[in-house]
Amino acid sequence: MHSFWWDRSVQLELGDAGKYRDVKSTREAVECLMLRWPHQDGRALAAAKRVCLQALEGKVKTEKARRAFIKAAEEAHLSIRSQ
């Protein structure tokens, strides 16, 4: 069975200033990208959506999804506490 959990979570400021969300899995990343992301455009965002969905299908490793998620957060200028 394919594991969607990440070895290290990604904590990012998403929503209210000073409130961090601890994203621990590819499933949580997809939920953030699709429903909670502050901007719905950008190359890194599109790539992160694609890679995370591929990871859920077992086509790519979860670490690749995690890296794509971090790049999308950087592109959106979100504060990241863990990498």
Side-chain angles (χ1 to χ4, degrees), residues 6-47:
W6 295 347
D7 291 336
R8 294 172 293 151
S9 66
V10 176
Q11 296 176 351
L12 53 97
E13 192 174 28
L14 194 58
D16 296 331
K19 294 194 178 184
Y20 283 79
R21 169 123 187 212
D22 192 25
V23 180
K24 301 179 247 28
S25 72
T26 304
R27 287 188 193 281
E28 290 178 7
V30 168
E31 187 264 333
C32 286
L33 293 166
M34 299 293 192
L35 302 175
R36 307 203 184 288
W37 218 246
H39 310 287
Q40 286 302 311
D41 60 344
R43 287 183 178 185
L45 174 62

Side-chain angles (χ1 to χ4, degrees), residues 35-63:
L35 302 175
R36 307 203 184 288
W37 218 246
H39 310 287
Q40 286 302 311
D41 60 344
R43 287 183 178 185
L45 174 62
K49 288 178 180 179
R50 183 178 60 254
V51 171
C52 285
L53 291 173
Q54 289 173 340
L56 289 179
E57 295 172 353
K59 295 179 180 177
V60 300
K61 294 186 179 196
T62 55
E63 183 56 32

